[in-house]
Amino acid sequence: MNLKPFLTLLVNLVFVPFIYSQSSDPSCQSILMGKVMDEHDHSDLSYSTIYVIENEIGVSANFEGEYRIENLCIGTYHIIISHIGCAPDTVVVDINSNLILQNFELEHHAEELSEVEIISFKRRKHGVISQDVNPSENQEVMQSIASVAATLNGVTMLQSGANVTKPIIHGLHSNRVAIVNNGLTLEGQNWGEEHAPEIDPFTIADLKVVKGASAMKYGAGAIGGALISVPKKLPDSSGVNGLIFLGASSNNKKGVGSMRLEGQFESLPHFSWALQGSLKKSGSIRTPNYYLNNTGSEEYNYSWHLGYQKKRLKTEMYYSQVNNNIGIFSGAHIGNLTDLEDAINRDAPREEDQGSFSYSIDRPYQHVEHETIQWKTNYQLNDSSSLELQLSRQFNIREEYDKHLSRGISEEEEGYPEFAVNLETYQAQLAWKFPFLKQFKTEIGGKFQTQENVLKGSRSFIPSYNGRSIGGYIVSNLRKDIWNVNSGFRFDYNALDVDRYINRAYQIDKVKFTTVSGSIEVDRIISEKWTGGVNATFAQRAPGINELYSSGLHHGVAALEYGDENLMVESSYKFSASAIYQTSQWTFDALAYTNWIQNFIYLQPDGTALTVRGAFPVFQYKQVDATLNGLDLSLNYDFNKAISFYSKSSLLWAQNRSIDEPLIFMPSNRIDFGFNYRFLKMWKKVNPSFGAGLNHVFEQNRVPEGVDFTEAPEAYTLIQLKGGLEIPFEKQTIKLDIAINNVLNTVYRDYMNRFRYYADEMGRNVTLSLKVPFTLMK
């Protein structure tokens, strides 16, 4: 193996930070750099093209619209700037010094983005994972937002049972990953593994993960990072357009439909609007050898989006509602301890729990609703400063229905849940963006939040409480020559009034936490092909309500869970380093990190117990000191315009330092690779494409001995195939895609899914999708 490139990178990054390659001609050492932005709202125009006519050279901007052109001679240049959905613009630039900062603005139109599939990897900043992912072009959109996010490097997926998924970032999930939708941090009953983010993936235009300094603005819960979903932009030209998505899956006979309408009327040029709705319905999931009884799901979602923009003012109203009915595998709810032990040790569930295909959802199941209404207004003070105010209300309903009705329940009460909570959240956020000392791009912001959680139903798992929190942050960016420095600081104060019923009497516990976080990251362009970066982050997180006070049966994971009211604040000390190599054909990206977490909170298996609801595994929240070391690698190679190869891997070593043994319930190491092929010479009118991929998940052999209820499952390998056509029709392009997951119908169980105690994962699944754009009015 040739180590010279890596040694060169290390020397340049650490020992000679102020030396970089120069042209032999002293008059040709100038650098032109800046951003490409939307003319109206100054939003980033990702991956724009900047072409210098005189030199016949061109570069692509990164995800945030930033570009850089080196080794320019003194003189005048004509530069063409272009972006999908924008009219190209030619700008004359005078190069008269060593560094010219020049931003470009383009007129952005509505007929852009959503139907363009980009499969290559792009250069990113150290704190941002921004591999191109357009959910509307990804068949994982038929599953969940976590399924789409798992295509990002460094992100894996936590699955609980058949239908609940959430993202894992560097081994951390749930309370440690902030989910942000349209600039609003999602507030739901995110209290454990089976509470999935309540976001309709059909409303999303792009996804990205931010960490370090970039994550400071998203709250104290972002120790693992923040998953940012960017909604589709409102149109800025007159007309009415739409998109219909239809999909189907073979395994659980899932049907999916989504429709979006958006427009702007010529008589009201400053107003724009969008309406969107989606439906999903699926039945029993089939493993390679049997069906899983009661694993169907139903989902219906809708949203509307209104916008007004004139001169420096931009204001928007956004409303969304997500509704789910989720069946819970009946074989995980066991009647007695002997049957529970037998179920865990079986190779397959009992025959009565295998059942046959059905769309019906019986007890046990969950019903979830999430409603969001948001008003956001932005005022551009000048070309480089702005103020943004955001007000919102979120309302979350969660109902859990037990497998068995309680004794004495009347027929009228059979439809009531055994456990139900209503969570209502109000937020006010204010952000000021401005250039500090003309060089530091700075943002100062604050948030005030109130919450009320009301317990309903016949039993308690999470108590009622009232919460108040206030937080503030400052993040700053300095880009100078070949250096890019990001820094951030945040503080939060949280107070809870918790209603508890103890010894036949109510009492109120008053809980208060103060947390601080800070981060600094430095990126450096080392050469035309190499970029490197380092990051240091200190972050704190207060324990969640479930970690403090959960007590009893958690239906979604079929387990008894118990909190600890004496838990202390978590403190994370994370250090990371990255190296990125990029040419016209190659992209290599490596990120290594170590995360020392003091007072790390986790669930510890604690035997089994028999209750009036049945027999269940028992888990207790514990607190230890832990270390998480990891390595993320990605590689992309474009052989030519037709064929490309990709590979990515996520490696993690987690240790419980308090007792010097592996940390339980951490993701297994994994590697993905595959290729994509476009038929350039055949059937040019329909642009056919084909791809294949392989996903190998290693056995998790770093587990504490004798702690879990059963051994970790074996390693497994899954093969995927996909293909697509683009069919032109009346100035639109219809897309037809097919994908086959688990082609070989492999029998496997995933270590992170607690339902692995009882059953295998989904078998072969064929999905079809059809995307039809249309225009109703021009």
Side-chain angles (χ1 to χ4, degrees):
M1 181 178 179
N2 183 6
L3 297 178
K4 183 177 178 180
F6 299 98
L7 294 175
T8 303
L9 172 65
L10 182 64
V11 170
N12 274 276
L13 183 62
V14 179
F15 297 104
V16 286
F18 298 102
I19 299 176
Y20 58 95
S21 53
Q22 300 179 352
S23 169
S24 58
D25 185 349
S27 66
C28 298
Q29 299 176 10
S30 298
I31 298 173
L32 174 66
M33 60 190 298
K35 292 188 68 172
V36 183
M37 301 178 291
D38 187 291
E39 183 180 59
H40 299 286
D41 61 4
H42 291 82
S43 59
D44 304 334
L45 294 184
S46 306
Y47 314 128
S48 300
T49 299
I50 303 92
Y51 182 78
V52 182
I53 295 178
E54 284 77 8
N55 290 4
E56 296 184 345
I57 60 173
V59 298
S60 293
N62 64 12
F63 184 82
E64 296 182 340
E66 299 166 338
Y67 75 93
R68 178 187 182 89
I69 303 174
E70 299 181 353
N71 299 328
L72 292 175
C73 301
I74 300 298
T76 300
Y77 295 87
H78 294 77
I79 298 175
I80 301 175
I81 308 97
S82 59
H83 183 266
I84 296 172
C86 300
D89 191 15
T90 301
V91 177
V92 178
V93 177
D94 291 323
I95 303 297
N96 51 24
S97 64
N98 289 335
L99 178 64
I100 301 294
L101 299 177
Q102 176 71 53
N103 293 334
F104 299 115
E105 296 181 356
L106 293 178
E107 174 75 23
H108 208 239
H109 296 287
E111 60 267 23
E112 54 157 347
L113 79 164
S114 65
E115 295 310 307
V116 178
E117 180 179 12
I118 306 175
I119 57 176
S120 62
F121 294 80
K122 298 294 183 180
R123 179 169 291 183
R124 62 166 174 79
K125 287 200 280 186
H126 178 86
V128 181
I129 302 173
S130 58
Q131 172 192 333
D132 299 323
V133 174
N134 190 332
S136 68
E137 294 299 326
N138 191 325
Q139 284 204 332
E140 297 295 339
V141 76
M142 294 178 59
Q143 308 301 326
S144 66
I145 185 176
S147 301
V148 180
T151 61
L152 292 164
N153 197 36
V155 183
T156 54
M157 186 175 70
L158 173 66
Q159 183 164 339
S160 295
N163 299 301
V164 178
T165 57
K166 59 191 349 175
I168 305 175
I169 303 174
H170 291 172
L172 304 177
H173 57 82
S174 302
N175 295 352
R176 299 183 183 92
V177 174
I179 309 293
V180 182
N181 186 31
N182 195 27
L184 181 67
T185 302
L186 192 68
E187 293 290 340
Q189 284 99 347
N190 186 30
W191 297 326
E193 298 178 6
E194 51 69 70
H195 297 281
E198 293 96 349
I199 298 177
D200 182 0
F202 286 102
T203 63
I204 302 171
D206 288 293
L207 277 177
K208 63 179 179 178
V209 171
V210 299
K211 308 184 304 298
S214 303
M216 291 293 111
K217 60 192 293 184
Y218 298 113
I223 281 185
L227 178 65
I228 312 298
S229 69
V230 183
K232 297 178 181 179
K233 290 184 178 181
L234 291 169
D236 57 5
S237 58
S238 60
V240 178
N241 302 293
L243 176 68
I244 295 175
F245 180 100
L246 299 174
S249 298
S250 65
N251 185 286
N252 53 357
K253 297 180 174 59
K254 174 183 283 188
V256 179
S258 176
M259 182 175 178
R260 176 181 173 89
L261 280 176
E262 61 182 24
Q264 188 181 89
F265 299 112
E266 190 172 351
S267 58
L268 298 170
H270 301 296
F271 289 91
S272 52
W273 56 270
L275 301 173
Q276 187 272 338
S278 63
L279 296 170
K280 296 181 184 179
K281 187 177 180 65
S282 64
S284 304
I285 285 177
R286 181 172 175 79
T287 73
N289 298 314
Y290 49 83
Y291 281 103
L292 297 176
N293 191 36
N294 198 46
T295 50
S297 68
E298 299 172 342
E299 181 176 340
Y300 67 94
N301 315 305
Y302 57 91
S303 64
W304 52 261
H305 197 174
L306 303 176
Y308 173 84
Q309 182 169 323
K310 187 175 182 181
K311 295 183 179 179
R312 297 180 180 270
L313 178 67
K314 179 180 180 181
T315 187
E316 296 181 357
M317 285 287 293
Y318 180 76
Y319 176 88
S320 70
Q321 189 169 126
V322 176
N323 302 269
N324 285 306
N325 286 320
I326 304 168
I328 299 172
F329 176 49
S330 58
H333 286 244
I334 313 297
N336 58 66
L337 293 173
T338 302
D339 289 344
L340 174 61
E341 183 178 354
D342 182 55
I344 291 175
N345 294 323
R346 278 175 175 268
D347 292 332
R350 298 172 302 177
E351 291 186 5
E352 56 264 38
D353 294 320
Q354 296 182 21
S356 58
F357 180 81
S358 174
Y359 280 111
S360 65
I361 300 175
D362 301 317
R363 289 172 173 262
Y365 75 94
Q366 294 181 346
H367 173 73
V368 179
E369 298 179 21
H370 188 91
E371 180 185 57
T372 299
I373 186 165
Q374 175 187 17
W375 174 69
K376 181 167 57 176
T377 187
N378 181 287
Y379 186 76
Q380 199 73 29
L381 300 172
N382 50 51
D383 290 342
S384 56
S385 301
S386 66
L387 280 175
E388 182 174 279
L389 175 65
Q390 181 172 268
L391 304 175
S392 65
R393 172 187 181 266
Q394 299 180 63
F395 186 64
N396 208 98
I397 297 175
R398 180 170 295 275
E399 299 174 344
E400 298 189 353
Y401 295 79
D402 201 347
K403 183 177 182 179
H404 305 288
L405 292 172
S406 301
R407 292 180 181 180
I409 292 294
S410 64
E411 292 183 1
E412 291 78 12
E413 295 174 316
E414 287 186 5
Y416 292 119
E418 278 66 39
F419 171 63
V421 285
N422 294 348
L423 179 66
E424 190 171 23
T425 305
Y426 291 89
Q427 288 182 0
Q429 300 181 60
L430 182 66
W432 176 31
K433 298 179 181 179
F434 63 98
F436 179 66
L437 298 178
K438 296 183 179 181
Q439 293 182 323
F440 293 87
K441 183 179 178 182
T442 303
E443 179 177 342
I444 296 177
K447 180 178 77 171
F448 175 74
Q449 174 178 295
T450 65
Q451 272 190 338
E452 182 180 23
N453 185 70
V454 179
L455 175 66
K456 297 184 176 182
S458 60
R459 64 175 179 83
S460 171
F461 173 64
I462 298 292
S464 297
Y465 65 87
N466 288 286
R468 302 163 302 283
S469 66
I470 187 170
Y473 67 89
I474 178 171
V475 294
S476 187
N477 170 258
L478 171 64
R479 178 179 286 274
K480 186 173 180 61
D481 297 333
I482 56 177
W483 293 93
N484 185 67
V485 180
N486 287 306
S487 59
F489 174 80
R490 179 178 188 91
F491 82 92
D492 289 273
Y493 171 79
N494 298 277
L496 295 175
D497 295 335
V498 183
D499 297 330
R500 303 178 66 196
Y501 189 71
I502 298 177
N503 297 326
R504 298 183 180 181
Y506 280 100
Q507 72 177 43
I508 297 178
D509 289 358
K510 293 186 176 295
V511 183
K512 299 177 182 180
F513 293 103
T514 300
T515 58
V516 296
S517 302
S519 180
I520 185 168
E521 57 195 36
V522 179
D523 296 294
R524 183 179 186 274
I525 298 175
I526 297 168
S527 68
E528 181 182 356
K529 299 176 181 179
W530 282 99
T531 303
V534 293
N535 167 265
T537 296
F538 169 74
Q540 291 186 310
R541 181 186 74 89
I545 188 71
N546 60 313
E547 296 164 328
L548 291 167
Y549 292 110
S550 60
S551 178
L553 179 58
H554 197 171
H555 273 102
V557 288
L560 298 168
E561 295 181 357
Y562 295 95
D564 182 353
E565 59 189 272
N566 297 312
L567 293 176
M568 296 179 289
V569 168
E570 279 184 347
S571 297
S572 166
Y573 305 82
K574 187 174 183 179
F575 304 90
S576 61
S578 69
I580 304 168
Y581 174 83
Q582 187 173 37
T583 68
S584 59
Q585 289 184 293
W586 286 95
T587 300
F588 171 73
D589 191 337
L591 174 69
Y593 62 90
T594 182
N595 193 357
W596 304 330
I597 304 180
Q598 185 179 17
N599 299 324
F600 179 78
I601 302 170
Y602 74 106
L603 273 175
Q604 171 87 23
D606 192 21
T608 58
L610 181 64
T611 73
V612 294
R613 305 290 180 185
F616 298 95
V618 179
F619 295 86
Q620 176 73 49
Y621 280 102
K622 299 286 186 179
Q623 200 159 40
V624 297
D625 293 338
T627 300
L628 282 68
N629 299 316
L631 178 65
D632 297 329
L633 301 171
S634 70
L635 176 69
N636 192 81
Y637 178 65
D638 297 325
F639 290 91
N640 48 48
K641 293 182 179 180
I643 187 169
S644 62
F645 168 84
Y646 67 88
S647 175
K648 65 171 185 172
S649 57
S650 295
L651 309 177
L652 175 67
W653 298 267
Q655 190 77 1
N656 181 339
R657 290 189 289 116
S658 294
I659 54 177
D660 194 25
E661 67 176 20
L663 194 61
I664 197 169
F665 299 140
M666 284 287 136
S668 305
N669 296 334
R670 62 195 61 217
I671 182 171
D672 300 295
F673 58 87
F675 72 91
N676 296 288
Y677 183 80
R678 290 186 176 275
F679 297 86
L680 299 179
K681 297 183 179 180
M682 299 174 57
W683 309 312
K684 291 183 179 180
K685 291 185 178 181
V686 295
N687 295 323
S689 62
F690 173 78
L694 184 148
N695 169 229
H696 180 76
V697 178
F698 295 89
E699 180 180 351
Q700 180 55 284
N701 51 24
R702 301 199 76 258
V703 296
E705 295 184 6
V707 176
D708 204 352
F709 300 101
T710 186
E711 295 181 355
E714 298 178 350
Y716 61 88
T717 301
L718 304 179
I719 295 176
Q720 300 87 31
L721 299 175
K722 64 178 181 178
L725 295 174
E726 298 178 357
I727 307 168
F729 179 75
E730 294 186 354
K731 298 183 180 180
Q732 302 282 3
T733 300
I734 298 173
K735 288 185 62 64
L736 177 65
D737 294 296
I738 182 172
I740 308 175
N741 295 312
N742 194 1
V743 172
L744 301 181
N745 211 24
T746 301
V747 177
Y748 72 100
R749 300 190 183 193
D750 190 88
Y751 175 70
M752 293 298 289
N753 189 345
R754 277 202 259 167
F755 280 77
R756 65 180 168 86
Y757 297 140
Y758 313 106
D760 298 329
E761 301 282 353
M762 179 185 286
R764 183 185 300 113
N765 189 31
V766 181
T767 60
L768 287 170
S769 65
L770 178 68
K771 308 176 189 72
V772 183
F774 59 90
T775 299
L776 294 179
M777 183 187 302
K778 294 184 178 180

